[in-house]
């Protein structure tokens, strides 16, 4: 089927099937692995179909952050108090259109999901990384990966770090998680077929999804789509997230072509938050650069500079011509550790800098003067930048980094997907369920909706949590018998 926007054609039930299962899971990334495990643990006979030759998907590329909280063992061991209420309040505050039921379920189930991950072999070190970074360089199990300490969120919810990273160095966590989950899939005896691209869904006369087709076909009591996002599909990106088409490098794998989303749509599934994308060109680390000010081409500040890098990126692209500069004085001039933003030059005065950057000189001067006057008192009345990062900027020469997409290197991936219930059932536009069909991970819309509200770890967190939940519920629907009631009870308690 490949890229494009065409919806696959539905097929009606054939007289004979090549295979049968209680639950078919489409895609062997983290959402598919957790759905398959969730369904198998609920007693279902599961068939897991993967288009490529190996388990992994984009999940294997991930750094390995999971956004979890509410008092996990890592938070407790490192001395960070957290609660379900604080985590819920935070996610509701940062999400443009919060789905209260999903946020509540996720936060209430976060500690037990952490325990489930560990019970299945995913390890998290009981240690904390205190630096401001995109990913901690070592194996520390916890760091700040969102806007919890950033105004206004720090006033809306008691801040706690929730970025749990798998016990692997630097950005190798995703690979490790997928190796561990693939082992668990083998141990559970789940049937897996590689090199199997599901191209169509099969429905019965009532529109209920009863199977899938590749070259062959398999019947199932329920189907879980876990086939990834659409960042590698230029046509879908042009329609839904056109910003990502301009100057953004897509972060993903070739199979992120939205086929899973289109399969769901073909059976009547609705889509949600399709314009949502995570994007970043982080100028930190080092944290020293947070002392600078970020201005647009009018010379005005527009975001607290200590924001999570995804929030800053979201604010930059919303500026006139998406133009923005990070300005530092000599005292805070250091080189970014990541090769994403470009140093423009240094100047002896702000007037020379403004002239070179095409910014109105008086406006830039006023912005820096106002900022300095308040910073000297440890305040930022305009954007509430945390006092930790406030210091007047006074020493020449002045340096500027260009944050404008196209001149800075931005990367991104999509966040929207099939509209689903809290249990992963795919929903139609009228809110009714497409019978027999579930979706999880990057082909579904769950918690993450835009770059400004994103926290690192939300994708792996929600893909594993709602994937597992979709698998267990699909098993219930499929008529699988053993352990069913027990498992449904367990998920309810999450
Ligand atoms: C570089 C990078 C770093 C990231 N770091 C993090 C992080 O640290 N924390 C975080 O939360 N998020 C992170 N993300 C995002 C996160 O990795 C993804 O959102 C998440 O892995 C999606 O999981 P998934 O299971 O839905 O999709 P995938 O892992 O992409 O799995 C989908 C699978 O479905 C298969 N498939 C597709 N179509 C079909 C079909 N028709 N039939 C059969 N199989 C099919 C694919 O081949 C693939 O194996 C990162 C992303 C990238 C690219």
């Amino acid at each position: 089927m490949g890229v494009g926007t065409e919806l696959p054609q539905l097929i009606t039930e054939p007289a004979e099937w090549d295979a049968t299962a209680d639950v078919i899971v489409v895609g062997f990334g983290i959402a598919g692995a957790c759905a398959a495990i969730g369904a198998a643990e609920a007693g279902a006979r599961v068939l897991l179909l993967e288009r490529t030759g190996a388990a992994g998907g984009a999940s294997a590329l991930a750094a390995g952050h999971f956004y979890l909280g509410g008092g996990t063992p890592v938070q407790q061991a490192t001395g960070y108090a957290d609660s379900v209420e604080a985590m819920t309040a935070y996610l509701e505050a940062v999400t443009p259109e919060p789905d209260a039921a999903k946020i509540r379920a996720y936060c209430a189930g976060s500690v037990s999901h952490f325990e489930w991950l560990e019970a299945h072999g995913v390890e998290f070190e009981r240690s904390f990384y205190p630096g401001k970074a995109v990913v901690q360089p070592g194996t520390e199990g916890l760091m700040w990966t969102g806007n919890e300490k950033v105004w206004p969120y720090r006033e809306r919810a008691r801040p706690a770090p929730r970025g749990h990273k798998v016990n692997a160095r630097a950005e190798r966590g995703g690979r490790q998680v997928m190796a561990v989950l693939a082992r668990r899939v083998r141990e559970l005896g789940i049937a897996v077929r590689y090199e199997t691209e599901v191209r169509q869904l099969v429905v019965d006369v009532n529109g209920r999804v009863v199977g899938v087709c590749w070259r062959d076909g398999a019947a199932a009591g329920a189907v879980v789509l876990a086939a990834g996002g659409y960042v590698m599909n230029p046509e879908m990106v042009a329609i839904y997230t056109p910003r990502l088409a301009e100057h953004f490098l897509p972060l993903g794998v070739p199979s992120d072509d939205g086929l899973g989303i289109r399969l769901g749509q073909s059976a009547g599934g609705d889509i949600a938050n399709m314009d949502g994308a995570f994007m970043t060109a982080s100028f930190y680390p080092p944290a020293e650069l947070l002392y600078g000010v970020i201005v647009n081409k009018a010379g005005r500040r527009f975001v607290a500079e200590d924001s999570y890098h995804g929030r800053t990126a979201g604010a930059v692209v919303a500026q006139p011509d998406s133009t923005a500069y990070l300005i530092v004085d000599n005292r805070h001039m250091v080189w970014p550790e990541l090769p994403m933003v470009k140093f423009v030059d240094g100047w002896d005065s702000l007037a020379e800098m403004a002239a070179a950057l095409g910014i109105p000189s008086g406006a830039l001067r006023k912005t820096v003067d106002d900022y300095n006057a308040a910073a000297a008192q440890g305040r930022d009345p305009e954007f509430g930048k945390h006092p930790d990062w406030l210091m007047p900027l006074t020493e020449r020469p002045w340096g500027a980094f260009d944050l404008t997409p196209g001149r800075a290197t931005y990367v991104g991936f999509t966040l929207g997907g099939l509209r689903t219930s809290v249990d992963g059932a795919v929903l139609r536009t009228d809110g009714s369920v497409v019978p027999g069909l579930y979706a999880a991970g990057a082909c579904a819309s769950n918690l993450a909706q835009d770059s400004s509200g994103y926290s690192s770890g939300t994708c792996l967190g929600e893909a594993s949590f709602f994937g597992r939940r979709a698998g267990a519920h699909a098993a219930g629907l499929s008529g699988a018998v053993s352990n069913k009631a027990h498992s449904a009870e367990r998920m309810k308690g999450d």
Side-chain angles (χ1 to χ4, degrees):
M1 185 84 197
V3 293
T5 54
E6 206 183 323
L7 300 189
Q9 283 204 328
L10 285 176
I11 300 191
T12 49
E13 276 184 278
E16 276 186 37
W17 295 93
D18 304 292
T20 60
D22 294 326
V23 175
I24 288 181
V25 178
V26 181
F28 198 170
I30 191 165
C34 292
I37 295 169
E41 288 178 344
R45 219 164 26 94
V46 180
L47 175 59
L48 178 48
L49 303 175
E50 166 55 41
R51 178 177 183 169
T52 68
S59 306
L61 295 185
H65 280 139
F66 286 71
Y67 195 80
L68 298 168
T72 67
V74 186
Q75 288 178 316
Q76 287 185 27
T78 54
Y80 285 95
D82 194 9
S83 66
V84 172
E85 293 70 33
M87 186 180 178
T88 306
Y90 174 74
L91 285 177
E92 288 191 340
V94 292
T95 308
E97 290 178 31
D99 180 329
K102 282 183 179 169
I103 291 178
R104 214 177 311 117
Y106 187 74
C107 297
S110 193
V111 170
S112 66
H113 188 56
F114 174 94
E115 287 163 353
W116 185 89
L117 288 166
E118 286 213 321
H120 287 74
V122 181
E123 293 173 5
F124 298 90
E125 199 174 272
R126 271 49 173 171
S127 58
F128 178 72
Y129 179 76
K132 181 97 177 168
V134 175
V135 181
Q136 59 271 58
T139 55
E140 296 89 346
L142 188 65
M143 68 177 263
W144 298 93
T145 61
N147 289 296
E148 297 86 353
K149 288 197 290 184
V150 174
W151 186 85
Y153 309 111
R154 64 174 178 261
E155 288 177 3
R156 302 221 188 135
R158 183 183 163 160
R162 304 192 180 99
H164 290 68
K165 201 185 81 175
V166 178
N167 188 1
R169 289 193 71 74
E171 311 208 355
R172 297 192 199 129
R175 216 188 307 174
Q176 180 161 317
V177 172
M178 284 313 300
V180 167
L181 294 177
R183 190 173 64 224
R184 187 70 189 129
V185 164
R186 277 195 302 279
E187 284 166 3
L188 286 166
I190 293 170
V192 183
R193 279 188 64 118
Y194 294 101
E195 305 291 351
T196 304
E197 178 184 290
V198 170
R199 295 181 181 159
Q200 286 161 305
L201 295 179
V202 183
V203 289
D204 69 10
V205 286
N206 300 315
R208 180 194 174 85
V209 175
V210 292
V212 303
C213 266
W214 56 102
R215 265 187 324 270
D216 302 336
V223 172
V224 182
L225 297 170
Y230 69 89
V231 75
M232 293 300 185
N233 182 326
E235 285 98 329
M236 286 180 77
V237 166
I239 292 171
Y240 298 115
T241 48
R243 294 312 307 247
L244 281 184
E246 307 159 13
H247 314 304
F248 283 76
L249 296 177
L251 267 187
V253 287
S255 56
D256 281 330
D257 63 0
L259 180 50
I261 297 173
R262 287 177 285 140
L263 281 166
Q265 286 180 286
S266 75
D270 189 17
I271 45 180
N273 299 308
M274 287 295 279
D275 56 351
F278 167 76
M279 48 186 94
T280 184
S282 190
F283 62 82
Y284 67 80
E288 191 74 16
L289 289 171
L290 298 172
Y291 287 105
V293 290
I294 298 176
V295 297
N296 60 17
K297 70 176 197 177
R300 299 234 164 79
R301 289 175 70 218
F302 54 87
V303 67
E305 292 80 1
D306 57 340
S307 297
Y308 168 70
H309 52 97
R311 181 175 191 241
T312 303
V316 168
V317 301
Q319 296 310 300
D321 295 335
S322 299
T323 298
Y325 301 98
L326 169 70
I327 291 169
V328 289
D329 70 345
N330 183 48
R331 187 160 173 198
H332 301 102
M333 175 64 207
V334 282
W335 295 108
E337 286 174 22
L338 305 170
M340 299 180 103
V341 302
K342 205 176 79 178
F343 178 63
V344 185
D345 209 345
W347 295 271
D348 266 338
S349 70
L350 282 174
E352 287 170 83
M353 172 188 275
L357 299 179
I359 294 175
S361 174
L364 182 60
R365 179 80 259 170
K366 180 170 176 1
T367 293
V368 173
D369 285 349
D370 290 351
Y371 175 83
N372 283 349
Q377 299 166 25
R379 294 186 313 116
D380 174 22
E382 253 193 309
F383 296 100
K385 187 174 177 181
H386 198 281
D388 285 356
W389 308 111
L390 286 171
M391 199 181 281
L393 304 169
T394 52
E395 252 182 52
R396 69 190 175 93
W398 300 84
F401 294 91
D402 200 337
L403 306 184
T404 311
R407 303 200 288 263
T409 306
Y410 277 75
V411 293
F413 53 76
T414 61
L415 297 174
L418 291 162
R419 188 184 296 281
T420 53
S421 73
V422 69
D423 298 322
V426 174
L427 303 176
R428 300 193 181 99
T429 45
D430 65 3
S432 64
V433 159
V434 177
L437 190 62
Y438 290 79
C443 70
S445 169
N446 279 303
L447 304 180
Q449 291 182 355
D450 71 354
S451 201
S452 298
Y454 189 77
S455 312
S456 286
T458 312
C459 285
L460 292 184
E462 65 172 51
S464 54
F465 181 85
F466 290 109
R468 183 186 154 210
R469 199 168 169 111
H473 280 266
L477 186 83
S478 72
V481 280
S482 56
N483 295 329
K484 203 171 61 184
H486 171 63
S487 172
E489 274 315 301
R490 240 188 6 223
M491 285 303 285
K492 254 190 244 160
D494 279 356

